[in-house]
Amino acid sequence: MSYQYSNEVENMCCVAKGPKHGPAPIPEEGRWVEAKQITDISGYTHGVGWCAPQQGACKLSLNVKNGVIEEALVETIGCSGMTHSAAMAAEILPGKTILEALNTDLVCDAINTAMRELFLQIVYGRTQSAFSENGLVIGAGMEDLGKGHRSMVGTMYGTNAKGVRYLEMTEGYCTRMALDENDQVIGYEFVSIGKMTDFIKKGMEPNEAYKKSMGTYGRFDEAVRYIDPREE
């Protein structure tokens, strides 16, 4: 490839370059790599993004091998439209180089922002798999979701006048809160929506599946009274 040089540069004499100061090595999947091009980049990690009105957020997880995205997990919260954008992003991302993905419209501001934040982590070697030999298998994103293959979500609501309400915990949908004699929370009851759905798909009656998917946390059995966080 030929370049055009200004007259000032053309008339300069040549001065030899001394030290060959290469890129600082970064940790990648149990190795130290001097990354010079996109194909030198590997790693598995997460990035979090938000949209301009800050009404929704996205957690994006990518598994990159030799510069190419082999696996993508898109988790969203707070915006109904973002779930549809996530469906498109999960189809768009695999097979792209990480540089292509950075310059691709991923439909939603929050997902685009997550991609930007994640890109910085991966190209600087700040990944979850930085010191894991050969990195994480393709499928690690699905394993992050756990047996129920559902995102971990927490939804809590509180007012100064009426106190706190637990609506959703990692374990599942909160059905009852346990209160002590001082009306302080000492536990809660939940139903795992993922487990319940799986039971029903296998032919179990819905009521039986509902009861089998329930559990409690804390000193639930010691409560003086129980309340429905959505009704009371």
Side-chain angles (χ1 to χ4, degrees), residues 191-210:
V191 58
S192 173
I193 302 298
K195 286 182 180 179
M196 183 178 72
T197 304
D198 286 341
F199 287 144
I200 294 172
K201 284 194 297 184
K202 292 176 182 177
M204 186 178 292
E205 287 297 317
N207 283 339
E208 183 184 354
Y210 176 76

Side-chain angles (χ1 to χ4, degrees), residues 26 28-29 31 33 35-44 62-71 92-104 115 118-119 122-123 127 129 134 138:
I26 61 174
E28 285 189 6
E29 302 191 338
R31 299 171 295 123
V33 177
K36 298 178 181 178
Q37 52 192 2
I38 290 297
T39 53
D40 293 331
I41 300 296
S42 294
Y44 177 88
L62 297 183
N63 200 345
V64 178
K65 303 289 186 185
N66 301 316
V68 177
I69 297 169
E70 296 290 346
E71 176 186 16
I92 290 168
L93 285 166
K96 284 185 176 290
T97 69
I98 191 169
L99 182 60
E100 282 182 291
L102 182 66
N103 288 286
T104 297
M115 182 64 227
L118 185 149
F119 179 87
I122 288 183
V123 296
T127 61
S129 57
N134 297 321
I138 299 165

Side-chain angles (χ1 to χ4, degrees), residues 8-31:
E8 289 81 0
V9 175
E10 286 282 7
N11 293 329
M12 289 178 181
C13 65
C14 289
V15 176
K17 185 176 180 179
K20 294 182 179 179
H21 191 68
I26 61 174
E28 285 189 6
E29 302 191 338
R31 299 171 295 123

Side-chain angles (χ1 to χ4, degrees), residues 28-227:
E28 285 189 6
E29 302 191 338
R31 299 171 295 123
W32 289 96
V33 177
E34 290 188 4
K36 298 178 181 178
Q37 52 192 2
I38 290 297
T39 53
D40 293 331
I41 300 296
S42 294
Y44 177 88
T45 200
H46 323 278
V48 175
W50 53 95
C51 61
Q54 300 190 39
Q55 69 183 36
C58 167
K59 176 188 173 188
L60 177 62
S61 304
L62 297 183
N63 200 345
V64 178
K65 303 289 186 185
N66 301 316
V68 177
I69 297 169
E70 296 290 346
E71 176 186 16
L73 170 64
V74 191
E75 300 173 85
T76 65
I77 189 169
C79 173
S80 58
M82 197 192 302
T83 60
H84 297 81
S85 300
M88 297 177 70
E91 186 174 354
I92 290 168
L93 285 166
K96 284 185 176 290
T97 69
I98 191 169
L99 182 60
E100 282 182 291
L102 182 66
N103 288 286
T104 297
D105 181 4
L106 298 174
V107 189
C108 168
D109 279 352
I111 304 174
N112 285 318
T113 304
M115 182 64 227
R116 180 193 69 199
E117 298 299 311
L118 185 149
F119 179 87
L120 293 174
Q121 293 180 65
I122 288 183
V123 296
Y124 284 123
R126 271 68 167 181
T127 61
Q128 182 178 324
S129 57
F131 299 102
S132 302
E133 189 173 357
N134 297 321
L136 298 179
V137 299
I138 299 165
M142 186 65 80
E143 292 174 1
D144 272 355
L145 293 176
K147 292 181 180 179
H149 293 164
R150 299 185 80 240
S151 298
M152 289 184 282
V153 177
T155 307
M156 312 299 152
Y157 178 74
T159 61
N160 189 38
K162 299 295 183 178
V164 71
R165 297 296 186 273
Y166 296 176
L167 303 175
E168 184 99 16
M169 287 284 193
T170 296
E171 299 94 336
Y173 177 98
C174 291
T175 51
R176 288 190 294 168
M177 293 169 58
L179 308 182
D180 65 11
E181 63 275 8
N182 298 314
D183 285 337
Q184 293 183 329
V185 183
I186 59 172
Y188 55 87
E189 178 186 68
F190 62 88
V191 58
S192 173
I193 302 298
K195 286 182 180 179
M196 183 178 72
T197 304
D198 286 341
F199 287 144
I200 294 172
K201 284 194 297 184
K202 292 176 182 177
M204 186 178 292
E205 287 297 317
N207 283 339
E208 183 184 354
Y210 176 76
K211 292 176 182 177
K212 191 171 181 179
S213 303
M214 298 186 82
T216 62
Y217 183 83
R219 295 185 290 121
F220 187 81
D221 294 335
E222 300 174 24
V224 172
R225 71 187 182 106
Y226 302 96
I227 64 169

